[in-house]
Amino acid sequence: METIEVRTEKTVFGGETIAKVNSKTVFIPFALPDETLNVNIVQQKNDYSKAQIIKILEPSPYRVKSECKYYGVCGGCNLMHASTDYQRELKKQMLINAFEKYKIDISDKIEIVKGPDYNYRARFQLTDGGLNEKNKNTIIPITHCLCAEKPVNDYLEATEFNSRPKGRIHLFGSSFVDSDQKLKISEKETNIQQKIYGNKKKNLKLKENRYFTGTVSSPENSVKVKLNGKDITFDVRGFFQSNLFVFEKVIDLITDSLPGGTNCLDLYSGCASISVFLADKYESVTLVEHNRDALVYAEQNMAGKNHKSYGVSGENFVKNYASSLPAFDACVVDPPRSGMENAVCDFLCKSKIPFIRSLSCDPSTHSRDCAKLISAGYELSKIHLLDFYPHTSHIESLAIFNLNI
């Protein structure tokens, strides 16, 4: 295999750094901009290649030695070879590049929101007791993770690899857990569930202001955390934020930037982890979440607060319910990686809701949706780069929109 010398250019979304070889783009993992490297081409495509580093001839001044013994093998972190401050600058440039595709300059609107550089992550999925090796099916019998919160590491260090549950398990351990036992493990992917509110296949108005059916897991899978003084319960097997240090700051950024009022819409609300705070500023909150099991937890978290809950997709909510509801004074939207459904984005663009707060875990779909809102007359006053996952290239962001009248 031929070894070639390259000079790297920039790090792109996904964490790889590119170089040019005979005008062809080469993607190099674990590289940084402005480095001279000896690399081997390991994959050839028509319009790009992939390479691996053989030797670093001229390192970046921001290159550091990783303290993690699993780094480069574990499929998790991919930026631990850069200083943490430089990692954030790289992510900032990735976010800028995503918006540049739509001719939107956000370079003077970005603010970085960060928490601890290490021991921040509460949520893990283990396979046969370990983590998956990068790009392989091999399991790494991890005994300590630099990114994990202490309760997770306590479990990994105290529990022999062969004694851990087999299969895919969900684990949540955090200082934010509101009980003496700071760690919760779901040892089985499937558990007996108790149906509530009738037949899940029917879309019924089950009781006042509740437009969904769902199931609730056995209590052994429920986790209660305390965030900004409020108790929030969720299923350890479902989605919940992994970095609660940063999430508390995000909640404050959203609620502090909204003036309050009568009606607020929370699209893709999950278990109401944001709605419970919106309810302090708005007389009524409308929750929309297609995962009806998550809405069962939302009902627990919103108990005593004036709200409506719709267990439908965003598209179905827009099509079947939105027009019959009073006008909204504000909206928080937090879609999955694929971004807002087209119908949802079109609805928001036409809605004239004065304040929209748009959360995203993917800069490419976020920039696409933000471009539509801007074209509809919304002003992007600020965008927060949310560093939920230090040492990885993962980017989340919060866009602050106000309607230009």
Side-chain angles (χ1 to χ4, degrees):
M1 187 178 295
E2 181 185 4
T3 299
I4 58 176
E5 184 177 307
V6 298
R7 184 71 178 176
T8 55
E9 297 180 4
K10 66 178 181 179
T11 301
V12 296
F13 182 59
E16 295 180 321
T17 301
I18 61 172
K20 296 288 186 179
V21 176
N22 298 326
S23 300
K24 191 175 185 179
T25 300
V26 180
F27 292 88
I28 312 167
F30 307 113
L32 292 174
D34 302 317
E35 292 189 318
T36 302
L37 310 170
N38 278 343
V39 302
N40 280 346
I41 303 298
V42 295
Q43 188 177 29
Q44 290 274 16
K45 297 290 184 179
N46 290 335
D47 51 352
Y48 70 91
S49 301
K50 291 201 170 188
Q52 66 180 12
I53 298 174
I54 302 302
K55 186 176 182 180
I56 300 171
L57 303 176
E58 294 181 27
S60 164
Y62 303 105
R63 178 175 284 277
V64 298
K65 181 176 175 56
S66 168
E67 298 178 21
C68 177
K69 64 182 179 180
Y70 306 107
Y71 186 60
V73 179
C74 170
C77 297
N78 62 350
L79 286 180
M80 202 174 270
H81 55 284
S83 67
T84 50
D85 287 341
Y86 189 57
Q87 289 177 32
R88 295 182 183 107
E89 288 303 312
L90 292 175
K91 293 180 188 182
K92 180 178 178 180
Q93 192 57 54
M94 293 177 204
L95 190 61
I96 290 171
N97 291 343
F99 277 78
E100 282 179 345
K101 179 179 177 181
Y102 297 93
K103 297 181 170 55
I104 303 170
D105 182 8
I106 61 169
S107 56
D108 62 344
K109 300 180 187 295
I110 298 180
E111 290 188 3
I112 297 175
V113 180
K114 63 183 180 179
D117 292 332
Y118 295 96
N119 304 122
Y120 63 82
R121 186 178 179 114
R123 188 166 63 92
F124 281 76
Q125 290 186 18
L126 300 182
T127 303
D128 292 335
L131 297 177
N132 290 96
E133 187 172 348
K134 184 178 178 66
N135 299 325
K136 293 183 180 179
N137 292 324
T138 308
I139 303 302
I140 304 170
I142 186 170
T143 56
H144 185 90
C145 175
L146 291 177
C147 295
E149 276 210 59
K150 184 178 183 299
V152 175
N153 277 324
D154 288 345
Y155 169 79
L156 294 175
E157 293 166 3
T159 310
E160 292 289 340
F161 175 67
N162 291 332
S163 300
R164 299 174 194 170
K166 300 301 181 183
R168 177 65 62 88
I169 68 164
H170 302 261
L171 181 152
F172 192 96
S174 175
S175 58
F176 290 83
V177 173
D178 194 25
S179 71
D180 292 336
Q181 175 118 20
K182 299 298 183 183
L183 183 81
K184 178 75 72 168
I185 303 174
S186 172
E187 296 191 3
K188 296 181 181 179
E189 184 65 27
T190 57
N191 286 281
I192 296 173
Q193 294 183 321
Q194 173 190 2
K195 284 192 176 182
I196 65 171
Y197 299 152
N199 189 336
K200 192 173 180 180
K201 295 182 179 179
K202 294 180 180 179
N203 188 21
L204 303 174
K205 181 175 179 181
L206 302 157
K207 56 182 180 178
E208 184 180 4
N209 294 333
R210 309 294 181 266
Y211 299 83
F212 71 95
T213 57
T215 61
V216 62
S217 331
S218 53
E220 67 186 30
N221 291 318
S222 295
V223 182
K224 182 170 71 172
V225 296
K226 189 173 288 290
L227 295 177
N228 289 343
K230 294 187 183 295
D231 290 335
I232 298 173
T233 305
F234 60 95
D235 190 325
V236 68
R237 300 168 306 166
F239 172 77
F240 198 75
Q241 285 290 353
S242 299
N243 185 335
L244 302 187
F245 302 95
V246 172
F247 189 46
E248 281 195 320
K249 295 181 179 182
V250 172
I251 291 167
D252 285 340
L253 286 170
I254 292 172
T255 54
D256 291 350
S257 69
L258 293 171
T262 305
N263 298 306
C264 185
L265 176 61
D266 188 357
L267 286 164
Y268 311 97
S269 65
C271 67
S273 55
I274 295 176
S275 286
V276 293
F277 297 93
L278 296 173
D280 290 341
K281 303 198 73 167
Y282 292 87
E283 295 175 17
S284 177
V285 180
T286 298
L287 290 75
V288 179
E289 172 57 57
H290 80 285
N291 185 335
R292 300 175 182 185
D293 296 347
L295 271 186
V296 172
Y297 282 93
E299 287 303 300
Q300 297 176 38
N301 295 326
M302 294 293 285
K305 301 178 186 297
N306 188 22
H307 70 286
K308 298 182 178 69
S309 299
Y310 292 86
V312 297
S313 68
E315 181 176 3
N316 284 338
F317 171 77
V318 168
K319 180 180 178 181
N320 298 313
Y321 297 103
S323 62
S324 63
L325 298 175
F328 294 105
D329 302 309
C331 173
V332 176
V333 55
D334 186 9
R337 192 177 302 277
S338 56
M340 299 184 212
E341 297 148 283
N342 288 334
V344 169
C345 198
D346 291 344
F347 162 73
L348 290 179
C349 287
K350 298 172 184 176
S351 67
K352 300 194 183 305
I353 297 173
F355 305 101
I356 295 177
R357 304 296 178 256
S358 176
L359 280 159
S360 173
C361 58
D362 188 294
S364 59
T365 56
H366 201 200
S367 56
R368 176 200 69 197
D369 296 340
C370 287
K372 293 179 182 178
L373 288 169
I374 292 169
S375 295
Y378 281 90
E379 177 190 1
L380 177 59
S381 61
K382 188 175 295 183
I383 185 160
H384 298 279
L385 192 161
L386 311 174
D387 197 17
F388 274 107
Y389 299 98
H391 311 297
T392 81
S393 58
H394 184 80
I395 297 174
E396 301 202 18
S397 49
L398 167 65
I400 306 296
F401 282 106
N402 301 318
L403 183 63
N404 272 327
I405 300 176

